[in-house]
Amino acid sequence: MDKLNIFKTISKIFLGFIVFIVLLFGGLILFVESPELFIKDKIAAADWEPKTVDEDLKYNILDSEVEYGYRLVAESAKFMGPGADQPEMRYAGNNLACVNCHLKNGTQAGSGSWVGVLERFPYYSNRDGKESTIQDRINGCMERSMNGRKLPIDSKEMSAIVAYMDYISEGIPEERKAEFKGYPPIELPNFPADPEIGKDLYAKECAVCHGEDGQGQRLAEAEKGYLYPPLWGDDTFNHGAGMHRVITAAEFIKSNMPFEQATWDNPKLTDEEAYHIAAYINSFDRPQKANTEEDFPDKKFKPVSTPYGPWVDDFSPEQHKYGPFPPIINYYKEKYGITKSK
């Protein structure tokens, strides 16, 4: 074989090797970016589950930004609460973790899950009186549920929390999105919620975890916050939080409590029981948020169970706190043509 033929043969082998390498790495990149393209039969919508961090943490393959976001929401007291090492990182004013309400690290349906949440923003917020971004919504929780102050919008902490929300939402089927949105509604009775009835139900269903005094149970590593959060008192959500509204609290309780005994589609408590427990929990003192009179610039859109004024109706503060709520709902429908559910 002459030198020219040898050169051509070697060139073909080398070119073939280069093409193989390009295809191999191209395929690997495509698989990482779009693994669904390599799955012959896509996972049925009913079988889809949100991503969890456990496996990725175990094998040390979790994206560093996503992991930081997870730490912030799961160990909030340690990383951005009163116990944070750096004083400037003490954004939360209590020792709650975000996941004390957004259960199972934000993946449990019916508990204000973050699965698919990024697709819902921006939207118009009646409470803020303006278009709200996901960052605005997170900061609403920081100021109310966490009784603290806002995270800077452009901070690495804000970016990491959003990245974590995106991570647990990966691949959510269209058919499942509604399931993870907010809290399933309860049927509102035409009588007020009764804290005394709620007290007995609380002792039976709630006190084993949250304590008879409502002060919860700390984690073994106390600096990380609570295993079961306090429900009233100094170290919990303030009076401007959504959970201080009886209807919202009752919806959450019905769908999720007792913890690991109830789910949104298989509850243990009735609507009425959850309604009375919510009244009992919200009958106690808790931190007061400043400037709540500025909430809902158009007061017509204030939820009927918002327990603090002002309102644009003549119903009593007691009725706004405990109900009955159907008469208030009917009033806004008849006078303003506004349909409210809570």
Side-chain angles (χ1 to χ4, degrees), residues 138-179:
I138 290 168
N139 275 333
C141 281
M142 291 300 301
E143 290 188 303
R144 297 167 189 269
S145 298
M146 306 301 283
N147 192 36
R149 58 191 177 95
K150 294 179 179 179
L151 292 167
I153 295 295
D154 59 353
S155 65
K156 68 175 184 177
E157 287 73 30
M158 181 66 80
S159 295
I161 292 172
V162 173
Y164 174 73
M165 292 175 173
D166 191 38
Y167 164 84
I168 61 173
S169 304
E170 185 177 304
I172 180 172
E174 190 68 34
E175 308 93 301
R176 299 286 301 280
K177 290 179 180 179
E179 172 186 333

